[in-house]
Amino acid sequence: MLDYLIPLLLLIVSVIALAKKQDVYSALCEGSLDGLKLLLSIAPALVVLLTAVSLLRASGAVDLLSKWLSPVSRVFGLPPQTLPLVLLRPFSGSAALAVGVDLMRQYGPDSLIGRTAAIMLGSTETTFYTISVYFGAAGIKKTRYAIPAALLADLTGFVMAGICARFL
């Protein structure tokens, strides 16, 4: 049934538009053009962001930062093994998911590290990706307090993930 939902929805919209004597094809072309303009406006930010994440992982910078920050992670009650996830999650959901899968494969999904990683993935956001997409689409150049507030929310999610995994 769900396989037919989108074609059925398109058919219903087309029938209603034709009943109102609207040019469905022109409206579809205009919408496609707007979508391409939006893609062109946000593509540079996404390319830079994904390239930076790939460079950080490939260069070993994430591992080095994780080693440096491991004493801080213990203060917050986070397993040091989850630091690569903490560092990558605000930038890239796919990179964070890959790190989370590696952690669960290595330590097990029911381990403290696996549970913490799962909670982190579910309770935090790909902040810079989201901001670049939505602010880029809206044409907003100055993010003002959005980035610090979003990163503080991510930090809260990471710390609470450590607490929840430990106590629940």
Side-chain angles (χ1 to χ4, degrees):
M1 179 69 179
L2 289 177
D3 293 339
Y4 300 112
L5 184 63
I6 292 177
L8 183 64
L9 184 62
L10 289 173
L11 180 66
I12 291 170
V13 168
S14 297
V15 168
I16 291 171
L18 287 173
K20 291 182 177 182
K21 301 195 188 272
Q22 293 178 340
D23 187 4
V24 178
Y25 181 74
S26 294
L28 183 64
C29 288
E30 283 180 41
S32 299
L33 183 60
D34 289 343
L36 287 174
K37 287 178 184 175
L38 177 64
L39 177 65
L40 285 174
S41 72
I42 64 174
L46 293 178
V47 168
V48 168
L49 188 61
L50 295 175
T51 303
V53 168
S54 296
L55 287 172
L56 284 172
R57 285 194 80 190
S59 69
V62 171
D63 296 330
L64 185 63
L65 280 171
S66 295
K67 286 180 185 175
W68 287 347
L69 294 174
S70 64
V72 176
S73 75
R74 288 187 184 93
V75 170
F76 286 111
L78 297 174
Q81 296 86 345
T82 61
L83 280 175
L85 179 60
V86 171
L87 294 171
L88 290 174
R89 180 66 174 165
F91 296 98
S92 171
S94 58
L97 187 59
V99 169
V101 167
D102 288 343
L103 288 172
M104 288 180 213
R105 189 177 299 129
Q106 185 175 357
Y107 298 101
D110 290 330
S111 67
L112 176 64
I113 294 167
R115 288 192 318 265
T116 304
I119 295 169
M120 284 178 176
L121 287 168
S123 63
T124 58
E125 182 58 69
T126 53
T127 301
F128 292 107
Y129 173 81
T130 303
I131 285 176
S132 67
V133 169
Y134 290 115
F135 280 46
I140 298 171
K141 300 283 187 215
K142 296 181 181 179
T143 60
R144 238 181 117 142
Y145 300 113
I147 292 175
L151 290 175
L152 182 62
D154 281 340
L155 178 63
T156 304
F158 292 131
V159 172
M160 290 306 297
I163 292 170
C164 289
R166 208 174 287 293
F167 292 111
L168 299 178

